[in-house]
């Protein structure tokens, strides 16, 4: 059997390096590298085109000297602010029955825009800390929101990544600085009650759980020595890898439920075991750390290869996870 043609579409402006890890996984599994494609060429205004073809979806990219009909499309490492322009490409992938785990635009949006994520969690009963959505609140309204959340909360933008623009707020001065920060950037923001997710030694800790097709493939605990700093590895948190059988069953169940709630076939779920288990966010394209080539990237690519083999045997091609209803509107305070 000939090797499938795999197009790896990513955004080279990202510094996470996920596309490089995925390319390694493709090479390990197939013996050949994928065809690398700059996603910006396929966004509106780009020089490339994605057009229907009798054999699937043709990608024409003059700037890269490419004209191909891939058997598999891996769409990954797209920064949050560059995702919505790729919605037409995602829809074309679905319409042409392309083998991909790219999901539909509404699923990406539900996970990328954290106000919509909160609405999904409320709808589906997924555990999370009480959260208020704020849009240029007056000082009085911001203070009332913090007071409602017990005077100890975390502020984060509706759209962000890596813990950037996230603040621990326990008083009026920090609240004022956060409100000014988001106002200057013209972004709505969320204020969530603190989860109390600290170790006995006073460090913050939370978990990143990777879910693929309804099962956990890998997990890690993040230990953040600075309790007022986001618990992300890019913010200095130390990752401790956990094999799926060793993960607390509550976290396994919660991570799978959160991934299904936003409608994704694959995600990295950030959550804490405190308060009975609560989810902070669902990452559409979670970053990899050392050691996750084999534990995460390889299973992710293997899922694409399995779907392609199934389609060749006459089964339906891989489709994005279905959504039960359109994205819900936020409820700004």
């Amino acid at each position: 059997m000939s090797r499938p043609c795999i197009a790896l579409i990513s955004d080279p402006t990202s510094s996470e390096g996920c596309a490089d890890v995925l390319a390694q996984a493709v090479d390990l599994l197939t013996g050949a590298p994928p065809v690398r494609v700059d996603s910006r060429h396929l966004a509106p205004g780009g020089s490339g085109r994605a057009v229907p073809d009798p054999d699937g979806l043709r990608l024409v990219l003059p700037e890269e000297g490419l004209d191909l009909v891939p058997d598999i499309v891996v769409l990954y490492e797209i920064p949050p602010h560059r995702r919505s322009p790729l919605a037409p490409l995602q829809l074309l992938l679905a319409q042409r029955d392309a083998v991909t785990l790219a999901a539909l635009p509404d699923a990406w949006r539900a996970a990328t825009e954290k106000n919509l994520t909160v609405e999904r969690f409320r709808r589906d009963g997924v555990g999370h800390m009480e959260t208020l959505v704020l849009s240029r609140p007056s000082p009085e309204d911001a203070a009332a929101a913090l007071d409602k959340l017990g005077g100890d909360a975390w502020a984060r933008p509706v759209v962000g990544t890596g813990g950037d623009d996230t603040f621990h707020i326990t008083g009026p001065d920090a609240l004022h600085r956060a409100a000014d920060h988001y106002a200057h950037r013209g972004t709505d923001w969320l204020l969530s009650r603190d989860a109390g997710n600290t170790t006995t030694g006073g460090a913050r800790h939370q978990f990143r759980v990777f879910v693929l097709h309804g099962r956990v493939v890998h997990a890690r605990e993040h230990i953040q020595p600075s309790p007022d700093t986001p618990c992300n590895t890019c913010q200095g948190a130390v990752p401790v890898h956990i094999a799926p059988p060793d993960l607390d069953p509550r976290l396994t169940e919660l991570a799978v439920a959160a991934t299904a709630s936003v409608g994704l076939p694959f995600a990295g779920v950030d959550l804490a075991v405190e308060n009975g288990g609560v989810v902070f966010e669902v990452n559409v394209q979670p970053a990899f750390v050392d050691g996750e080539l084999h534990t995460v990237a390889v299973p992710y690519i293997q899922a694409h290869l399995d779907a392609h083999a199934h389609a060749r045997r006459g089964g339906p091609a891989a489709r994005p996870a279905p959504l039960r209803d359109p994205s819900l509107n936020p409820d700004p305070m």
Side-chain angles (χ1 to χ4, degrees), residues 211-230:
V211 176
L212 175 62
H213 287 323
R215 66 182 182 90
V216 172
V217 294
H218 185 62
R220 54 175 125 102
E221 183 177 14
H222 293 177
I223 308 295
Q224 174 57 272
S226 175
D228 295 320
T229 301

Side-chain angles (χ1 to χ4, degrees), residues 160-285:
T161 185
D164 292 336
D165 302 324
T166 298
F167 308 96
H168 186 205
I169 298 175
T170 57
D173 290 344
L175 180 64
H176 179 73
R177 287 193 297 271
D180 279 352
H181 178 87
Y182 298 127
H184 289 156
R185 284 157 179 74
T187 182
D188 292 351
W189 48 292
L190 280 67
L191 198 62
S192 301
R193 185 185 295 272
D194 185 87
N197 52 320
T198 56
T199 65
T200 54
R204 287 281 173 183
H205 77 132
Q206 67 183 46
F207 298 83
R208 166 69 59 87
V209 179
F210 296 88
V211 176
L212 175 62
H213 287 323
R215 66 182 182 90
V216 172
V217 294
H218 185 62
R220 54 175 125 102
E221 183 177 14
H222 293 177
I223 308 295
Q224 174 57 272
S226 175
D228 295 320
T229 301
C231 210
N232 299 73
T233 55
C234 59
Q235 300 283 344
V238 178
V240 179
H241 296 283
I242 304 171
D246 297 328
L247 186 66
D248 187 313
R250 289 177 296 171
L251 297 182
T252 296
E253 181 179 356
L254 191 55
V256 171
T259 303
S261 180
V262 296
L264 292 171
F266 172 77
V269 184
D270 292 338
L271 65 173
V273 72
E274 287 81 6
N275 294 282
V278 290
V279 178
F280 298 129
E281 66 176 318
V282 180
N283 297 276
V284 177
Q285 295 157 347

